[in-house]
Amino acid sequence: MKSSVSEDLGCRRGDFSRKHYGSVELLISSDADGAIQRAGRFRVENGSSDENATALPGTWRRTDVHLENPEYHTRWYFKYFLGQVHQNYIGNDAEKSPFFLSVTLSDQNNQRVPQYRAILWRKTGTQKICLPYSPTKTLSVKSILSAMNLEKFEKGPREIFHPEIQKDLLVLEEQEGSVNFKFGVLFAKDGQLTDDEMFSNEIGSDAFQKFLNLLGDTITLKGWTGYRGGLDTKNDTTGIHSVYTVYQGHEIMFHVSTMLPYSKENKQQVERKRHIGNDIVTIVFQEGEESSPAFKPSMIRSHFTHIFALVRYDQQNDNYRLKIFSEESVPLFGPSLPSPPVFTDHQEFRDFLLVKLINGEKATLETPTFAQKRRRTLDMLIRSLYQDLMPDLHKNMLNRRSFSDVLPESPKSARKKEEARQAEFVRIGQALKLKSIVRGDAPSSLAASGICKKEPWEPQCFCSNFPHEAVCADPWGQALLVSTDAGVLLVDDDLPSVPVFDRTLPVKQMHVLETLDLLVLRADKGKDARLFVFRLSALQKGLEGKQAGKGRSDCRENKLEKTKGCHLYAINTHHNRELRVVVAIRNKLLLITRKHNKPSGGTSISLLSPVSESPVEEFQYIREICLSDSPAVMTLVDGPTEESDNLICVAYRHQFDMVNESTGEAFRLHHVEANRVNFVAAIDVYEDGEAGLLLCYNYSCIYKKICPFNGGSFLVQPSASDFQFCWNQAPCAIVCAFPYLLAFTTDSMEIRLVVNGNLVHTAVVPQLQLVASRSDIYFTAAAAMHENSSGGSSKGTSAHNSPQTPPGRDTPVFPSSLGEGEIQSKNLYKIPLRNLVGRSIERPLKSPLVSKVITPPTAIGVGLAAIPVTHSLSLSRMEIKEIASRTRRELLGLLDEGGPRSEGTPKAKPKTRKRLEESQGGPKPGAVRSTSSDRIPSGSLESPSTSEANPEGRDHSTSSDPAADREGSLVPASSPFQLPASSDEDIIDLK
């Protein structure tokens, strides 16, 4: 049996380094005479240079390009609340500080996954969580606040019925930051060392103009109605032209130094510095050879600019080189620069640069200077709004629902009055939403990624129509050993499932250690639960002889006797060391090690002198450690040496403790301040060889660095690298695969970055269950499929033809429940670990960008044409205004038909959607056009079935174009994610 391709990656999945994001240096600038001008501490990112020699031809050092905390994932109130029926509450916490709470009941992409979304506004910031919906169990405001760790407050929160509250809450959400950006662009000639010299360049070079054309469109400022970024669009006082673009829904205005007013008399060029000096992020385009004097941020006199992107163009090789300087207080942000930081593909460079700059400005807003200002503003707005509402507490609020259930519908006794109030509430919300869209301040997901690419977390269908309930699993070669309600099965997509153990051995945990020729498992059957160990070679021999699955009675020689009654066990993750197993039996820990390692693999063992089929004799019991309570989570942490400095992290009661394996001493690692604690995981990660822990419980995730010192003890000390964040939904399991952290809930997958906890992506996955993650990641998920559709494996086809997830749309069409001919089944999916933690991507540097077409299955397609993935979509403000003016009556018509239908509202009417698309179709005159790949002809927003499939502007329909079907592959019928993606969570395309 072959060894798993991810076996070598499994041991280093938690290894990471912040060195990929640069190191802090003291930068000193001097004038032409050598006199020191200024100095500053900046983090310098220049790509890692230590591994250049290992880069293979045709590959580049991997770096994944993602917008962090994208607004179409984080601006919940605009997307799910505004213009929808929802409830808003006001109250005071224990410190008499006012807070606001908004709650709505939504359906995740109408995948029959209803859930509550809640937003809590406080002076300390905004908290957002999802809560499961149960038709039999009601949810109260008190329970929602309790889930947000707000246990004590003055009196009961009261509901706000006035519809104008939506406008005020939208203002509170906008304090998170602007959805549009302004970046400075400074042209520096070779040899220029001061900002006065750089700002005095009246015109740029041909290479600089080529770079500006790559960034965006040159627009005329006078009469410009789009995002202006502080420039004058009436009297030409800030120049005649500027550069503008739209990237993934964000409008960007560039303050170009050579386009701002130039004054021969003013050597300091104050008018230019007034704009570029007040930009948080500035691009410095420097001419000259790499060996010429380099730019330093201290050359620029600005207390506001925190990030500088140094760009050089190599005309001989036609490539760009990038270097990033970030002020020391700016948190880490991605993407990390490739090694070397040289971009031959210009479009790839543009996408990387824009994402890096957007992420950098967002990260800067988290620095103490900006964060304090934002908190003060938020506190002032909340208190002002609270004081405005105080006189109307008794007039416009009803106490009858202060602590009652959060209801999707009103009581029958007041149905008519409540329906009239809700209609007015929705009408005002829809008007506010439309106004925000026209104004250009709305978070939008009307754009796909700038580069048509597969995301590293996209899964493959490993086994379709899996008929059993999976409990746990672990890879064995190319197959998967799965514990189910029917016993333990060896599952391979190409072959029928083979029973290994029957149902008399109910396995709850297992580890396949191929290098040690071992299988370790915990069979849980009440008080008779035990730990079993088997030789893989012996099991493989039985499978080759087509023996029946082993029963519990056949495994007597394989059980470790002292483990009776165990409810949990853990092993060390780095198998190059001695195998250590810690077994938890109530409040007692039993430390077991393997006496000696034997050669791995079935062939090696067969050459040795007679070896017992049972490896029980190879294990020895070291010691017992008593705890104060029974652990719910347990993780082994390897010490820096192979001596007695190994640790055990245990979670019980309201705390995480560290236990020394040698002495049994326990130290408090973290105390949880919450009435109820649901421990999820303690993940050992190793930053540059030093151990750290990701502690996950409830909605929280905390990173702690562990520093061992003499005496076998350890020290947990606050570090600048420590961070904490909250998941949007309470996870059931966590997987760390640097640079990603994946949270698995019952119906969604939330993906964040390990280094800063920033959100990257959220995907809806109905009936999701993680079953294995030690090497490759395996999970089961529901799949709605047609009985007459082919439900075969997609392993052979998806490897070559893997359609990309379609971009989110603000008004998805929701199908009804399962129709005739459809059955609900589960598939087994796999995310290859090498895709997540792999170091390089085997693709040409200049790869052709081919649109990939996705055609929804006819059972749920609702008449939509094939939707290809294209480059980022771009619309001018004039187009948006035209769309808004033509669709205003249509929106009002939707209101008359029983309330508006927005992205969170199910059961949108196909006919209404069709009329809406027809009224919005057709290209608009006067739109900004560009050759850049993320800008497509106008009309793309209105009719994705035509415009998205036609990025070149040719007028034809994709629904009848046979060539479009040949370019991409269809979504397999067994995929559970066949529905159109919503504007929040894209539906991962599972192959």
Side-chain angles (χ1 to χ4, degrees):
M1 187 171 292
K2 280 187 175 182
S3 176
S4 172
V5 295
S6 297
E7 183 72 22
D8 58 330
L9 297 174
C11 293
R12 66 177 179 86
R13 66 182 315 156
D15 295 346
F16 71 97
S17 174
R18 297 172 196 266
K19 293 179 181 178
H20 296 293
Y21 297 85
S23 57
V24 176
E25 301 177 14
L26 177 63
L27 302 179
I28 302 174
S29 63
S30 57
D31 56 17
D33 299 328
I36 296 177
Q37 297 293 313
R38 282 168 301 279
R41 293 181 63 82
F42 284 81
R43 185 187 304 109
V44 183
E45 295 183 61
N46 197 24
S48 11
S49 57
D50 56 334
E51 298 171 337
N52 284 345
T54 62
L56 299 175
T59 70
W60 74 321
R61 195 57 57 192
R62 170 178 179 158
T63 177
D64 296 310
V65 180
H66 307 295
L67 280 179
E68 299 175 14
N69 294 327
E71 279 71 15
Y72 50 87
H73 281 299
T74 59
R75 298 295 177 90
W76 279 19
Y77 192 78
F78 180 87
K79 304 198 83 55
Y80 298 106
F81 293 76
L82 189 62
Q84 309 281 334
V85 176
H86 64 277
Q87 294 168 232
N88 301 299
Y89 296 86
I90 186 173
N92 280 318
D93 59 22
E95 299 176 355
K96 298 185 178 180
S97 297
F99 66 83
F100 290 89
L101 175 70
S102 297
V103 186
T104 188
L105 179 63
S106 63
D107 192 352
Q108 289 198 39
N109 293 358
N110 203 43
Q111 295 224 1
R112 296 172 290 280
V113 186
Q115 63 176 3
Y116 290 102
R117 292 182 186 267
I119 307 176
L120 178 65
W121 281 282
R122 305 177 72 182
K123 66 178 182 180
T124 54
T126 306
Q127 187 177 354
K128 305 163 187 173
I129 64 171
C130 290
L131 293 165
Y133 166 77
S134 173
T136 59
K137 185 178 179 181
T138 55
L139 187 68
S140 68
V141 177
K142 186 176 182 180
S143 61
I144 295 174
L145 293 174
S146 177
M148 294 178 162
N149 291 330
L150 186 57
E151 305 284 354
K152 299 178 181 179
F153 33 79
E154 271 196 349
K155 300 180 181 179
R158 300 182 179 182
E159 186 175 1
I160 308 169
F161 289 97
H162 202 286
E164 293 295 335
I165 187 64
Q166 297 175 94
K167 182 177 181 180
D168 299 311
L169 295 179
L170 184 61
V171 172
L172 293 183
E173 184 172 73
E174 289 173 351
Q175 302 310 306
E176 297 179 15
S178 173
V179 298
N180 302 320
F181 299 89
K182 55 186 181 71
F183 300 137
V185 182
L186 181 60
F187 174 66
K189 293 181 179 179
D190 188 15
Q192 291 183 338
L193 301 178
T194 65
D195 56 354
D196 288 346
E197 294 175 326
M198 300 175 193
F199 280 106
S200 297
N201 292 322
E202 189 172 358
I203 58 173
S205 62
D206 292 341
F208 181 60
Q209 187 58 48
K210 181 179 180 179
F211 173 66
L212 293 180
N213 293 338
L214 179 65
L215 284 182
D217 302 293
T218 300
I219 55 103
T220 302
L221 286 174
K222 195 167 187 177
W224 176 252
T225 58
Y227 174 67
R228 60 190 185 92
L231 299 180
D232 181 15
T233 58
K234 295 182 179 179
N235 302 314
D236 289 338
T237 60
T238 57
I240 300 175
H241 299 97
S242 189
V243 177
Y244 165 90
T245 191
V246 177
Y247 185 80
Q248 297 205 22
H250 300 284
E251 292 184 75
I252 303 174
M253 181 65 76
F254 296 95
H255 294 161
V256 185
S257 61
T258 56
M259 292 183 175
L260 292 168
Y262 172 77
S263 174
K264 293 183 179 179
E265 293 77 18
N266 188 347
K267 293 183 178 181
Q268 293 188 353
Q269 303 299 331
V270 176
E271 186 62 26
R272 290 181 170 182
K273 290 182 179 180
R274 183 168 69 89
H275 290 282
I276 298 179
N278 285 312
D279 291 331
I280 294 177
V281 179
T282 295
I283 304 171
V284 179
F285 185 89
Q286 188 172 40
E287 291 196 319
E289 300 295 331
E290 186 68 24
S291 58
S292 60
F295 166 84
K296 296 179 180 179
S298 49
M299 295 177 180
I300 308 298
R301 289 171 289 185
S302 172
H303 297 288
F304 199 80
T305 305
H306 282 61
I307 296 173
F308 294 90
L310 179 62
V311 177
R312 288 180 180 270
Y313 176 66
D314 184 349
Q315 192 166 3
Q316 182 177 357
N317 297 314
D318 191 28
N319 61 39
Y320 288 94
R321 177 177 286 269
L322 181 62
K323 192 174 185 179
I324 302 293
F325 300 89
S326 306
E327 203 273 336
E328 184 181 16
S329 62
V330 178
L332 296 181
F333 61 93
S336 59
L337 266 64
S339 178
V342 176
F343 298 83
T344 307
D345 188 312
H346 294 183
Q347 183 55 44
E348 190 174 72
F349 169 65
R350 177 183 186 271
D351 284 283
F352 184 97
L353 179 62
L354 292 180
V355 171
K356 186 71 173 177
L357 300 186
I358 292 173
N359 290 342
E361 180 158 325
K362 291 181 183 179
T364 304
L365 297 179
E366 301 300 324
T367 59
T369 303
F370 287 95
Q372 289 172 7
K373 291 180 181 179
R374 189 171 56 186
R375 280 195 296 267
R376 285 198 300 265
T377 303
L378 185 61
D379 185 24
M380 180 190 66
L381 290 173
I382 291 176
R383 291 185 181 276
S384 175
L385 180 56
Y386 179 80
Q387 291 173 0
D388 292 342
L389 292 171
M390 281 297 292
D392 298 331
L393 279 178
H394 300 289
K395 295 180 181 178
N396 298 328
M397 298 186 191
L398 298 181
N399 289 326
R400 63 179 175 83
R401 276 161 61 174
S402 61
F403 260 120
S404 69
D405 302 328
V406 178
L407 301 174
E409 295 181 357
S410 59
K412 293 182 179 180
S413 58
R415 178 65 56 86
K416 290 186 178 181
K417 185 176 180 180
E418 182 71 7
E419 286 180 351
R421 186 192 70 80
Q422 289 182 1
E424 178 67 8
F425 191 91
V426 168
R427 186 190 66 80
I428 291 178
Q430 284 284 0
L432 288 170
K433 198 166 202 173
L434 187 60
K435 187 176 180 180
S436 296
I437 294 173
V438 173
R439 195 171 63 241
D441 294 333
S444 172
S445 65
L446 300 174
S449 173
I451 300 177
C452 186
K453 63 186 179 70
K454 283 183 61 178
E455 298 292 3
W457 51 77
E458 287 193 13
Q460 306 163 359
C461 185
F462 183 76
C463 178
S464 58
N465 296 326
F466 191 65
H468 307 288
E469 285 294 328
V471 178
C472 62
D474 209 22
W476 185 5
Q478 298 297 325
L480 185 69
L481 198 63
V482 188
S483 172
T484 70
D485 52 353
V488 178
L489 308 175
L490 190 63
V491 180
D492 195 333
D493 189 49
D494 301 324
L495 300 170
S497 299
V498 179
V500 180
F501 300 101
D502 61 24
R503 65 177 62 196
T504 62
L505 196 71
V507 176
K508 303 298 183 180
Q509 272 183 277
M510 70 168 67
H511 285 84
V512 176
L513 308 177
E514 295 182 65
T515 57
L516 304 180
D517 189 38
L518 287 177
L519 168 64
V520 183
L521 57 85
R522 174 175 62 88
D524 194 356
K525 194 172 183 181
K527 295 181 180 180
D528 200 29
R530 293 178 184 273
L531 215 63
F532 293 81
V533 289
F534 301 86
R535 293 198 194 281
L536 292 176
S537 54
L539 293 176
Q540 183 178 349
K541 184 177 180 181
L543 295 177
E544 291 173 352
K546 297 183 180 181
Q547 297 179 4
K550 289 177 176 287
R552 192 180 188 91
S553 58
D554 302 323
C555 305
R556 293 172 182 172
E557 296 182 356
N558 298 91
K559 60 186 177 183
L560 299 178
E561 292 298 334
K562 291 187 178 181
T563 61
K564 184 176 180 180
C566 63
H567 68 278
L568 188 67
Y569 82 89
I571 68 172
N572 56 323
T573 55
H574 288 65
H575 305 318
N576 57 335
R577 297 190 175 188
E578 179 186 45
L579 175 64
R580 310 191 327 272
V581 182
V582 176
V583 184
I585 307 173
R586 292 182 295 277
N587 67 330
K588 181 177 66 176
L589 298 185
L590 187 64
L591 177 60
I592 305 173
T593 62
R594 193 162 179 253
K595 293 179 182 178
H596 57 276
N597 294 330
K598 294 192 176 183
S600 61
T603 56
S604 301
I605 290 183
S606 63
L607 299 177
L608 299 177
S609 55
V611 176
S612 169
E613 285 194 4
S614 173
V616 170
E617 296 179 357
E618 299 175 11
F619 289 84
Q620 59 183 350
Y621 307 96
I622 304 300
R623 66 180 55 86
E624 292 182 0
I625 300 174
C626 289
L627 304 176
S628 58
D629 207 339
S630 177
V633 167
M634 188 166 58
T635 299
L636 305 191
V637 181
D638 292 331
T641 66
E642 296 191 11
E643 298 177 0
S644 57
D645 55 1
N646 296 318
L647 303 169
I648 309 171
C649 178
V650 291
Y652 47 73
R653 295 179 182 172
H654 287 70
Q655 65 202 52
F656 288 89
D657 282 357
M658 295 297 293
V659 180
N660 188 299
E661 282 189 9
S662 301
T663 63
E665 290 183 86
F667 303 87
R668 180 68 54 83
L669 178 63
H670 178 72
H671 181 74
V672 179
E673 299 290 343
N675 288 342
R676 297 181 181 178
V677 183
N678 175 37
F679 292 110
V680 180
I683 303 174
D684 57 322
V685 292
Y686 301 87
E687 181 180 355
D688 298 325
E690 294 184 358
L693 279 166
L694 284 166
L695 310 179
C696 303
Y697 59 92
N698 295 354
Y699 290 85
S700 301
C701 186
I702 300 175
Y703 174 70
K704 296 266 187 186
K705 198 168 184 178
I706 301 173
C707 303
F709 62 96
N710 293 336
S713 301
F714 69 96
L715 179 65
V716 180
Q717 55 185 0
S719 170
S721 60
D722 293 353
F723 62 88
Q724 179 177 1
F725 66 88
C726 290
W727 302 100
N728 290 331
Q729 193 165 348
C732 301
I734 304 289
V735 177
C736 178
F738 184 77
Y740 303 106
L741 200 59
L742 293 81
F744 291 80
T745 74
T746 55
D747 49 45
S748 68
M749 188 190 305
E750 191 172 331
I751 303 166
R752 294 177 178 266
L753 297 180
V754 175
V755 293
N756 52 21
N758 286 346
L759 179 67
V760 170
H761 187 79
T762 305
V764 178
V765 192
Q767 300 184 37
L768 172 66
Q769 181 188 0
L770 177 71
V771 294
S773 63
R774 202 168 52 86
S775 54
D776 292 335
I777 299 172
Y778 294 85
F779 62 89
T780 58
M785 58 176 294
H786 248 197
E787 288 182 342
N788 58 358
S789 65
S790 60
S793 162
S794 60
K795 179 184 284 188
T797 59
S798 65
H800 306 286
N801 300 317
S802 38
Q804 172 71 22
T805 303
R809 293 178 294 280
D810 283 345
T811 314
V813 175
F814 297 129
S816 57
S817 59
L818 289 171
E820 288 188 25
E822 279 187 308
I823 59 173
Q824 192 76 17
S825 62
K826 279 193 173 184
N827 292 348
L828 190 59
Y829 295 97
K830 169 185 174 180
I831 303 177
L833 183 63
R834 66 183 306 165
N835 290 355
L836 295 170
V837 305
R839 296 290 185 89
S840 61
I841 300 175
E842 297 180 5
R843 59 179 174 81
L845 289 176
K846 287 189 175 181
S847 58
L849 301 178
V850 182
S851 299
K852 299 180 181 180
V853 181
I854 296 178
T855 305
T858 55
I860 57 176
V862 202
L864 290 178
I867 303 171
V869 171
T870 63
H871 311 119
S872 300
L873 311 184
S874 172
L875 291 176
S876 69
R877 185 66 54 81
M878 291 80 77
E879 295 177 84
I880 296 177
K881 285 188 174 181
E882 290 181 25
I883 298 167
S885 61
R886 286 207 313 273
T887 59
R888 183 176 283 106
R889 289 188 179 181
E890 195 70 26
L891 285 171
L892 294 176
L894 287 173
L895 288 174
D896 296 338
E897 293 177 10
R901 298 291 180 188
S902 185
E903 59 267 19
T905 309
K907 299 181 181 178
K909 299 183 179 180
K911 293 183 179 179
T912 304
R913 177 180 175 87
K914 186 177 181 180
R915 291 200 306 269
L916 184 59
E917 291 180 351
E918 290 176 354
S919 67
Q920 296 172 349
K924 310 291 183 299
V928 175
R929 296 294 297 275
S930 170
T931 57
S932 297
S933 71
D934 74 329
R935 284 154 271 171
I936 70 170
S938 57
S940 58
L941 169 65
E942 306 86 83
S943 182
S945 61
T946 56
S947 302
E948 291 186 19
N950 184 14
E952 300 300 324
R954 295 183 295 273
D955 188 14
H956 64 271
S957 172
T958 60
S959 57
S960 59
D961 184 11
D965 293 332
R966 291 193 298 269
E967 284 186 26
S969 61
L970 302 181
V971 174
S974 59
S975 171
F977 308 140
Q978 299 166 336
L979 302 176
S982 78
S983 52
D984 177 47
E985 293 95 353
D986 290 343
I987 304 166
I988 287 186
D989 177 26
L990 298 184
K991 267 70 78 179

